[in-house]
Each structure stands twice: as structure tokens, then as C-alpha cells.
Amino acid sequence: MAQVWRSTQVSVETKYLADWLVTDMLQRDNIPRDYAILVKQRADVIEDELSGPFSRKGLQIRNESRRIGETTLQDLLSDHFCQVAIAIARLGASRQAPEAWTLCTKALQDLRAVSPSDTTAERQVDSEFEAFLRELRSAMSTMRPNSENATVIATKIIDFLNPTEVARSYIQYASGDLLSIMLESFTMHLEESSRKAQSWEECVDFFEGTSQVPLMTVHKSKGLEYDTIFFVGLDDNAWWSHTPGDAEGLATFFVALSRAKQRAIFTFCSERGARIKVDELFQLLTTAGVPELDLER
């Protein structure tokens, strides 16, 4: 299913979007991360526009294009080291995390160069991991989440994984400074998440954004899928460089469309800009039978 939402005021569009999200989540038993808000550029501007209406409906938006150290939040969350490290943090905060356990044990076998047929070595790695988790859980149980304690926890996890072994085991970290960037950003984001949390489990949830609606540029959405995507800002200002037949622009448009598993909703607000340069994109939607809904009717 696809739709175009049309309005003349940003305030009308953002309120409608927040109301619609709350209703749809309740009706379909979805969670915030089943949805994504995509933009062509300037995610920070759309974040500012949506934050108020979302907050009033009890929703949280998370700009995953924003920078954390020398990377973006989206790149940090998709980084393999970070995924393993935060999975360990989740196991430290909660014993009920089977997916995290599977991810971590597989990664540790890679890091410790364990052959899949070497069951003795596998048991040794599992034993090593269980011993570390006992130590980690003990530490987390005596520390409340805050910036200082988050740094301690991050350091324990990083030291256990051993950056030297990480660089040796995964080709993406073998050269350059990617790993050092991710180590620093992992610690920074854990510190930031801890400041909002009452428990370590909640801290990990904030880190991963489990209860927040992600906002990102179309470029950063490549390879991801969501039940429903909202492409906010299909207008000339956001698409200032677009010309009819522009291959790059058309590719961006179809990347956004293909992120949706069930529904794609495009929004146009005349307060943001006209729809002359992007007319061919609207024509594509019209030809495909996509209806336009006037939010102010």
C-alpha cells in the first residue's frame, strides 16, 4: 500500500503523522521500530519539526543520521563490533536474551579462532564467556547507570573482546582507523544512553533505540527494511538539484520506496516547498495508482 499525504502547513502534517502512528501501533500491535521516517537531507530539521508532536503523543523520535564521535548513529548500530559489544551489555543487564547469546558466542569463536569442529575449544570459549558475564553482572548490579559507570562497563567489554583480536579476525578493521572510531563511539553512545536510564536494561534499550521511531536519510537506509516508511519532504527544496530524468534522483526515490515491507507513505507540504522539480516523481506515483490524501480536508 502506498499513499501521498498533502498539506499546506508543517504543523498539520506532523500532528497527523504522530496521531496516525499511535493509532496504527495499537491496531496492529506494532512497536516504534517497525516504522521509519526517511528524508532526502537535513534530518535535523525534520527532527525539530516532529519532536514536539511526537512527544505530546508519548512517542520518541531518534535521528540516526546524527553524529556520534567520528561516525553516525546509524553506522555505529550497523557495525559488527558494536553489535557484539551491546549484545554483551544486554546479557550483563538481563539473562533473558537468547539472540544476544547466540551472536556473542559465534563472535567469540571467530575472535578466538575456534574451528567449528573443535568442540573442546568451543566449550572453553563458552566457559570463558560465562565467567566474564558473571563478573560483568556483578559489576552492573552494584553500579547505577551514569556516564562514569557506563565508561567502566564499556571498557570491560572492549578489553574482553580484545581489539587486537577483533582487528585480526575481521577484514574491515584490518587497516585504517574504523575500529578505533567504533570503540570511541560505542563508549560515547553508552554514556549518553546511561544518562536517560533508570536501569542497565533500559540503558541498552536506549542504546539500540528499541522504543524510538528511527529517522534517517534515504542514503543511510540502504539495506534496511521496515513495516512502514514515511518519506517526509517530497518537495523542491529537499530535492533542489533534481532535474527530470535524473538517474541519481530516481534511484534515491526507489531506494526509499523499497525500504517498506508493507506500506510507503510520501508527504508533501507546500510550506516546505513547491512540487515543480519533483513533478515527475509524483507522476510516477499517480501512474502507479497511488492516491493523494488531503490532510486538511
Side-chain angles (χ1 to χ4, degrees), residues 43-279:
D44 55 328
V45 173
I46 303 301
E47 180 184 18
D48 288 342
E49 293 175 356
L50 289 171
S51 292
F54 271 45
S55 179
R56 287 189 284 274
K57 299 300 291 188
L59 296 169
Q60 292 181 322
I61 188 168
R62 184 158 92 156
N63 181 1
E64 299 197 347
S65 294
R66 73 180 178 89
R67 297 200 69 78
I68 301 287
E70 295 186 52
T71 188
T72 65
L73 181 54
Q74 179 61 41
D75 286 343
L76 177 66
L77 294 175
S78 63
D79 178 73
H80 183 65
F81 167 81
C82 177
Q83 290 175 344
V84 175
I86 198 59
I88 291 176
R90 184 167 292 285
L91 288 167
S94 171
R95 296 175 186 273
Q96 305 301 317
E99 292 183 3
W101 174 266
T102 300
L103 173 65
C104 292
T105 52
K106 173 62 173 66
L108 285 171
Q109 289 169 16
D110 292 339
L111 292 175
R112 308 305 191 246
V114 174
S115 168
S117 61
D118 192 341
T119 56
T120 300
E122 282 186 9
R123 285 195 296 270
Q124 289 175 342
V125 168
D126 286 349
S127 178
E128 175 194 5
F129 188 36
E130 289 168 357
F132 173 73
L133 283 180
R134 285 193 295 271
E135 175 190 334
L136 184 66
R137 286 167 178 160
S138 176
M140 294 173 88
S141 69
T142 61
M143 297 177 173
R144 63 184 181 86
N146 60 35
S147 295
E148 182 179 351
N149 290 338
T151 301
V152 172
I153 296 302
T155 300
K156 286 180 179 294
I157 293 171
I158 290 169
D159 288 347
F160 174 72
L161 289 174
N162 191 336
T164 300
E165 290 189 349
V166 173
R168 183 202 66 208
S169 302
Y170 298 104
I171 192 169
Q172 65 266 39
Y173 307 122
S175 60
D177 55 1
L178 176 62
L179 182 56
S180 63
I181 288 172
M182 293 305 170
L183 296 178
E184 179 184 32
S185 297
F186 168 74
T187 302
M188 291 175 64
H189 189 41
L190 193 65
E191 289 176 0
E192 180 182 295
S193 301
S194 72
R195 293 195 289 270
K196 310 172 188 176
Q198 298 300 311
S199 68
W200 286 109
E201 190 166 7
E202 190 176 37
C203 172
V204 175
D205 286 343
F206 277 125
F207 188 104
E208 295 186 318
T210 56
S211 59
Q212 298 167 300
V213 180
L215 162 68
M216 67 192 76
T217 62
V218 176
H219 174 70
K220 292 295 183 183
S221 75
K222 289 181 179 180
L224 303 175
E225 283 189 325
Y226 299 90
D227 176 273
T228 302
I229 66 103
F230 302 89
F231 195 164
V232 174
L234 190 57
D235 58 68
D236 290 353
N237 280 351
W239 292 70
W240 60 271
S241 64
H242 185 72
T243 55
D246 175 49
E248 183 178 350
L250 290 171
T252 297
F253 178 76
F254 285 112
V255 165
L257 185 61
S258 63
R259 298 311 93 202
K261 291 188 283 188
Q262 296 292 331
R263 295 170 301 186
I265 297 171
F266 299 83
T267 77
F268 166 76
C269 179
S270 58
E271 186 178 353
R272 290 199 188 95
R275 50 190 282 181
I276 299 171
K277 292 181 179 180
V278 294
D279 180 65

